[in-house]
Amino acid sequence: MTFLHHIAELFAANPLAQSVGLIAFAVGISAFIQKNDQRLRTLLTLYCVVIGCHFFLLSAPTAAYAAWLSGLRSFVSTRTRHVAVMAFFLLIVWVLGIPNITQPIQWLTIIGTTLGTWALYREQGIRMRLLMLMGTVCWVTHNFVIGSIGGAMIEGSFLFVNSHTIFRLWQQRAAPLSGES
């Protein structure tokens, strides 16, 4: 069976869920091309709502709840980055997520969400995006294993786009230094 044939079968098995995942793909890409931290947080909020619906439709409730909580977390992080708020979101992720884990792969959603929460509340710029990149590795692995076409595509794209944005930010930061020589 070819890769494209496998993707076509996954799509045919649940076209609504996979379509919602593809919409999330478009929203997510628009988030990670942002060099402005605030716009990134806002678009991540929308992405999390849509991808949560995708996971719910795929009967992956742990991933759906983690995504929706990540959306709420991203929204609140546009308003405050207080450490107590971050701790509240981490506690919710762990209390709601960990008891629902039935397979080892589901731990990756908790780890990825934890890394993203820390990044949004305690970091900025390149450091924020590097932690988010680590969380993305967790999510892309999870999504591939559960058969989420849109989820795997989006997280794989996040790896590329976020890495590229990190590189652009690094170049932008290094440019004034090279001009001083």
Side-chain angles (χ1 to χ4, degrees):
M1 177 184 305
T2 67
F3 177 71
L4 291 178
H5 183 71
H6 182 65
I7 288 177
E9 284 183 352
L10 286 172
F11 196 89
N14 197 336
L16 177 61
Q18 300 299 359
S19 295
V20 171
L22 293 173
I23 292 168
F25 176 79
V27 174
I29 290 299
S30 67
F32 275 99
I33 62 172
Q34 302 300 315
K35 291 186 347 184
N36 178 285
D37 290 354
Q38 197 66 7
R39 280 194 301 260
L40 169 68
R41 287 180 174 94
T42 300
L43 286 169
L44 276 178
T45 300
L46 179 59
Y47 163 73
C48 290
V49 169
V50 178
I51 200 70
C53 292
H54 166 71
F55 288 134
F56 189 77
L57 292 169
L58 280 178
S59 299
T62 301
Y65 299 141
W68 290 329
L69 187 58
S70 293
L72 180 61
R73 172 209 65 196
S74 296
F75 175 75
V76 173
S77 78
T78 65
R79 307 283 192 262
T80 181
R81 292 179 49 214
H82 195 278
V83 71
V85 176
M86 178 193 75
F88 171 75
F89 280 109
L90 288 174
L91 184 64
I92 290 174
V93 166
W94 299 334
V95 167
L96 294 180
I98 293 172
N100 289 309
I101 291 176
T102 58
Q103 300 173 350
I105 193 68
Q106 293 170 327
W107 278 102
L108 292 178
T109 63
I110 303 300
I111 295 166
T113 302
T114 298
L115 289 168
T117 301
W118 183 273
L120 287 172
Y121 281 88
R122 304 309 305 155
E123 305 297 341
Q124 59 187 354
I126 293 173
R127 287 175 55 109
M128 177 178 70
R129 285 165 177 79
L130 284 171
L131 280 173
M132 293 178 92
L133 193 69
M134 292 168 48
T136 298
V137 169
C138 293
W139 277 98
V140 75
T141 304
H142 169 270
N143 295 346
F144 180 77
V145 170
I146 71 162
S148 165
I149 297 169
M153 285 176 58
I154 190 60
E155 296 295 340
S157 298
F158 286 174
L159 285 173
F160 174 77
V161 174
N162 194 18
S163 295
H164 181 71
T165 303
I166 290 167
F167 180 71
R168 287 182 14 218
L169 288 169
W170 176 78
Q171 280 184 316
Q172 186 177 14
R173 190 168 67 179
L177 298 176
S178 63
E180 293 176 5
S181 311

